[in-house]
Amino acid sequence: QSALTQPASVSGSPGQSLTISCTGTSSDIGDYIFVSWYQQHPGKAPKFIIYDVTNRPSGVSNRFSGSKSGNTASLTISGLRAEDEAIYFCSSYRRSTAQVVFGGGTKLTVL
Amino acid sequence: VQVDQSGAEVKRPGTTVKISCKISGDTFSDFFIHWVRHAPGKGLHWMGLVDPEDGEVRYAEKVQARLTITADMSVDTVYMEVNSLRSEDTALYYCAAERRRGAPEYYFDFWGQGTLVTVSS
């Protein structure tokens, strides 16, 4: 039901790198750099971790990186840690509706 | 920056709910304030935003007929009012602050904890 498509879950072991995808259309992810990512731990407010596809807000670990290819944006987490276990969701501006759309969220489990 | 939202609400269908969002720790007018809805089992949906500096609002097309967002700069607080409530409006409503970098870019720098609104007869 979400406008952007993310895998429901991913998992990895400590120290590994892991990538979460976010697929949209040529009207949103494919059209703009206004793509962002958020991390949300259970019961907590979401945290802003990536903007403009690749940029990190001040204070966000450089283990988090973003990229985009065509209509798909990706979030890569390197050197996986237990505290990275959370839900990650993406968002993008959509020109056709002049508003932002979100992915359904991906639950990351650290094994 | 802290984003503090008002507490949970239980409302009857057809009534109105008004929830608040107070910004502290930085200059209120340095932010655009957004509202995002998360209904059970569904994804996030952006509802609208307000520019506290001039009161300009933008609404999502789907909800604009029933939604009012206002800002009170005297108390650094934004309000969101939804009228003609339906059971489908049952959701967690987030307030999110976007730091002003020019025009809104729909990035959500800081989020509140969410306000649960339950619509039930």
Side-chain angles (χ1 to χ4, degrees), chain A residues 1-2 33-36 38 40 43-46 48 51-53 89 91 93 98-100 102-103, chain B residues 36 38 41-46 59-62 94 101 104-113:
Chain A
Q1 281 164 333
S2 295
I33 66 166
F34 296 153
V35 176
S36 56
Y38 303 85
Q40 187 173 26
K44 301 290 187 182
F48 183 39
Y51 69 100
D52 286 353
V53 178
F89 58 92
S91 75
Y93 184 75
Q99 63 187 59
V100 64
F102 293 94
Chain B
V36 176
H38 194 184
K42 299 193 176 181
L44 294 164
H45 283 274
W46 178 81
Y59 296 125
E61 193 174 329
K62 188 176 177 182
Y94 287 107
R101 301 174 182 85
E105 293 173 334
Y106 298 82
Y107 293 144
F108 311 110
D109 296 74
F110 306 101
W111 294 67
Q113 291 282 70

Side-chain angles (χ1 to χ4, degrees), chain B residues 30-83:
Chain B
D30 282 350
F31 296 93
F32 301 107
I33 306 299
H34 299 259
W35 289 92
V36 176
R37 179 166 74 182
H38 194 184
K42 299 193 176 181
L44 294 164
H45 283 274
W46 178 81
M47 299 182 70
L49 73 86
V50 64
D51 180 348
E53 203 165 69
D54 60 10
E56 180 185 349
V57 292
R58 299 181 188 180
Y59 296 125
E61 193 174 329
K62 188 176 177 182
V63 295
Q64 65 179 2
R66 300 190 293 126
L67 180 66
T68 304
I69 298 175
T70 55
D72 185 342
M73 289 191 68
S74 69
V75 287
D76 295 349
T77 298
V78 170
Y79 303 91
M80 183 189 71
E81 187 173 284
V82 183
N83 60 43

Side-chain angles (χ1 to χ4, degrees), chain A residues 2-24:
Chain A
S2 295
L4 306 177
T5 301
Q6 297 182 234
S9 63
V10 295
S11 62
S13 299
Q16 284 186 329
S17 289
L18 186 149
T19 297
I20 299 171
S21 63
C22 171
T23 301

Side-chain angles (χ1 to χ4, degrees), chain A residues 51-73:
Chain A
Y51 69 100
D52 286 353
V53 178
T54 61
N55 295 331
R56 284 184 303 278
S58 174
V60 173
S61 170
N62 60 9
R63 296 187 302 107
F64 295 94
S65 62
S67 61
K68 186 182 84 162
S69 176
N71 298 336
T72 298

